């Protein structure tokens, strides 16, 4: 457990103990930076804790595992070079800002948008696909959204217990 003032609390005493507890539960050291956890979460809790809106975490059932390196995800057959899948459940995480409306994406899907929240320079689209609820950050100037894309490099893979399996 870290000793002394923690980086995000400084001299503020209110909430200090709860943040200290959070540091302990996340196994964060004094030298850690939030950007490290944003781009390299060790589990589902950390992945969803950092970032607004939180990371999309979608359950992948064993029926979606096509082969040891291929999984059905958001209407696409996604191939992974670095992971060997077995027939069990997984969780895939993808941040809302990693979706794009560009046509030159590795994988694409046609969204069914339930709601769009305009935030000025961007909007958040709340989407339903394959029984999942997904949020995507998109530029405000995109009014008609025919397809949304993503890349394999932006998918975080977690095991059935929520622990990261891809480094």
């Amino acid at each position: 457990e870290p000793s002394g003032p923690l980086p995000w609390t400084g001299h503020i005493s209110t909430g200090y103990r709860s943040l200290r507890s959070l540091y302990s539960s996340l196994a964060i050291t004094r030298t850690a930076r939030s950007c490290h956890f944003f781009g390299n979460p060790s589990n589902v809790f950390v992945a969803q804790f950092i970032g607004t809106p939180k990371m999309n975490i979608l359950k992948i059932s064993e029926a979606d595992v096509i082969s040891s390196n291929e999984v059905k995800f958001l209407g696409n057959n996604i191939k992974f070079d670095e992971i060997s899948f077995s027939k069990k459940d997984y969780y895939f995480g993808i941040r809302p800002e990693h979706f794009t409306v560009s046509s030159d994406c590795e994988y694409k899907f046609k969204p069914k948008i339930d709601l769009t929240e305009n935030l000025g320079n961007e909007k958040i689209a709340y989407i339903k696909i394959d029984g999942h609820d997904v949020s995507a950050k998109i530029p405000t100037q995109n009014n008609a959204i025919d397809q949304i894309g993503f890349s394999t490099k932006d998918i975080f893979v977690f095991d059935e217990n929520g622990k990261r399996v891809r480094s």
Side-chain angles (χ1 to χ4, degrees), residues 8 24 36-37 54 59 70 81 99 133 138 143 164:
W8 294 321
S24 297
H36 169 76
F37 299 106
K54 66 183 182 178
K59 185 173 184 177
E70 190 172 4
D81 295 328
F99 287 113
D133 293 321
I138 52 177
N143 290 324
R164 180 86 180 270

Side-chain angles (χ1 to χ4, degrees), residues 1-10 12-30 45 49:
E1 182 169 321
S3 62
L6 299 173
W8 294 321
T9 60
I12 300 171
S13 61
T14 57
Y16 180 80
R17 290 179 192 260
S18 63
L19 281 177
R20 187 184 232 22
S21 299
L22 177 63
Y23 276 111
S24 297
S25 69
L26 297 177
I28 298 173
T29 64
R30 291 186 70 178
F45 174 78
F49 185 78

Side-chain angles (χ1 to χ4, degrees), residues 88-129:
K88 63 179 185 178
D89 293 345
Y90 291 89
Y91 292 94
F92 281 9
I94 187 164
R95 296 203 180 279
E97 58 272 18
H98 289 154
F99 287 113
T100 181
V101 293
S102 173
S103 61
D104 60 344
C105 292
E106 189 177 5
Y107 298 102
K108 302 169 189 77
F109 64 92
K110 185 162 180 61
K112 180 185 177 274
I113 298 175
D114 281 347
L115 176 70
T116 303
E117 182 180 3
N118 194 339
L119 302 175
N121 65 334
E122 65 187 7
K123 48 186 161 181
I124 300 174
Y126 296 95
I127 301 163
K128 290 206 181 283
I129 181 167

Side-chain angles (χ1 to χ4, degrees), residues 31-153:
T31 58
R33 301 283 185 247
S34 61
C35 61
H36 169 76
F37 299 106
F38 183 83
N40 192 21
S42 60
N43 58 51
V44 169
F45 174 78
V46 174
Q48 289 189 307
F49 185 78
I50 298 173
T52 303
K54 66 183 182 178
M55 181 186 284
N56 296 293
I57 301 292
L58 309 172
K59 185 173 184 177
I60 305 299
S61 71
E62 72 176 60
D64 294 323
V65 178
I66 298 167
S67 69
S68 64
N69 72 336
E70 190 172 4
V71 177
K72 185 175 171 111
F73 179 62
L74 298 178
N76 294 271
N77 292 348
I78 311 294
K79 292 192 182 233
F80 293 87
D81 295 328
E82 303 165 7
I83 300 175
S84 180
F85 292 96
S86 57
K87 283 288 193 180
K88 63 179 185 178
D89 293 345
Y90 291 89
Y91 292 94
F92 281 9
I94 187 164
R95 296 203 180 279
E97 58 272 18
H98 289 154
F99 287 113
T100 181
V101 293
S102 173
S103 61
D104 60 344
C105 292
E106 189 177 5
Y107 298 102
K108 302 169 189 77
F109 64 92
K110 185 162 180 61
K112 180 185 177 274
I113 298 175
D114 281 347
L115 176 70
T116 303
E117 182 180 3
N118 194 339
L119 302 175
N121 65 334
E122 65 187 7
K123 48 186 161 181
I124 300 174
Y126 296 95
I127 301 163
K128 290 206 181 283
I129 181 167
D130 295 341
H132 299 292
D133 293 321
V134 177
S135 60
K137 280 187 181 180
I138 52 177
T140 298
Q141 64 268 22
N142 293 90
N143 290 324
I145 303 165
D146 297 328
Q147 69 179 12
I148 291 183
F150 60 95
S151 297
T152 306
K153 67 178 180 57

